[in-house]
Amino acid sequence: MANGIKLTYREEGSPGAPPLVLLHGRTADHNDWNGITQHFAARYHVHALDLRGHGASDFPGDYRFSVMAQDVIAFLDALGHDRATLIGHSLGGLVAYHAAMAHPGRIERLVLEDPVPPYPVTGRPPLMEDDSTGFDWRMMHETERQFIDPDPAWADALGGITAPTLVLSGGPRSQFTLDETAARIPGAEFVTIDAGHLIHMSARAEFLRVVDAFLDA
C-alpha cells in the first residue's frame, strides 16, 4: 500500500544496491520493461512499478498527475528509500518529472524517455473506448484531458528540478517535440535517438548505451 492504494511492482537486483524505479507508458504495465530490468539489476535495486490505473495496481478513479507523482514518493517511503533514480517512458516520464518537481530532494537522477510534455498536445483524435483491458478507461479519459489542457504552471515548475536529468527524444517519428521541455530543466542533457516513441523497444541497445553513459557520468 502506498498513498492509500495498492501498487504492484516487480523487483530485481540486490536490496543493497542503489534504488532505481521504472515507470511505464500509458496502457502498459511493469512487463513493458522486460529485458530492461535485468540489465539495470546488475548494479541497481530495480523496481518496475504498475502505475495506478494500470496492470495489477488499484484503479481508484483519481488520475491527476500530481496524485500519480505522489504515488511514486509514497512508494519510495513504503520501501524505506530516501532517494531513487527514476526512469520513465511517455506517461511514466511525465509522472517522473512531476515527482521531481514536487519532491526534488528525493530524486537521485532522472531519465525521461520521450515523455509527454507539459504543453498542450494537439492533433489528437477523439478517444474511443474499445474492449482493451489491463488498464482503467477512466485513466485514459482523465490523462487525455490533462494532455490536451495542461496547467500552465507545470512548464514553469520544470525549473525547480534539481536532479541530473536526461531527456531522450524519439526524433521526428515521435509525436512529441521535447527541446523546449529539456531546455526548461536546469542542466538537462538532451539526446535524440531516431526510433520513434518506443525508444527502449525499437532501439534497445542504443537506449541502454545512452542511459548507461548518463547514469555513470
Side-chain angles (χ1 to χ4, degrees), residues 49-65:
L49 182 65
D50 285 356
L51 296 170
R52 66 166 57 204
H54 295 79
S57 289
D58 281 348
F59 291 13
D62 184 355
Y63 299 106
R64 290 170 292 168
F65 295 150

Side-chain angles (χ1 to χ4, degrees), residues 25-151:
R26 193 167 71 162
T27 75
D29 61 21
H30 68 270
N31 290 303
D32 190 58
W33 299 107
N34 289 347
I36 301 290
T37 52
Q38 297 88 337
H39 175 87
F40 291 121
R43 55 203 172 105
Y44 288 95
H45 187 193
V46 177
H47 304 82
L49 182 65
D50 285 356
L51 296 170
R52 66 166 57 204
H54 295 79
S57 289
D58 281 348
F59 291 13
D62 184 355
Y63 299 106
R64 290 170 292 168
F65 295 150
S66 59
V67 175
M68 298 179 78
Q70 187 58 42
D71 287 347
V72 176
I73 302 302
F75 178 70
L76 297 181
D77 290 341
L79 296 179
H81 296 317
D82 291 333
R83 293 167 64 84
T85 292
L86 302 184
I87 299 178
H89 172 241
S90 193
L91 172 63
L94 179 151
V95 172
Y97 69 66
H98 273 264
M101 293 188 311
H103 300 273
R106 304 297 301 276
I107 310 306
E108 190 72 36
R109 283 179 176 267
L110 186 63
V111 177
L112 307 175
E113 178 199 351
D114 219 50
V116 183
Y119 305 105
V121 179
T122 60
R124 296 174 70 83
L127 189 61
M128 303 294 291
E129 294 192 22
D130 56 28
D131 58 357
S132 297
T133 59
F135 58 87
D136 187 354
W137 276 100
R138 293 174 298 176
M139 174 277 302
M140 293 291 287
H141 292 289
E142 180 68 9
T143 54
E144 190 72 16
R145 181 190 65 75
Q146 295 172 90
F147 292 167
I148 293 170
D149 186 24
D151 185 335

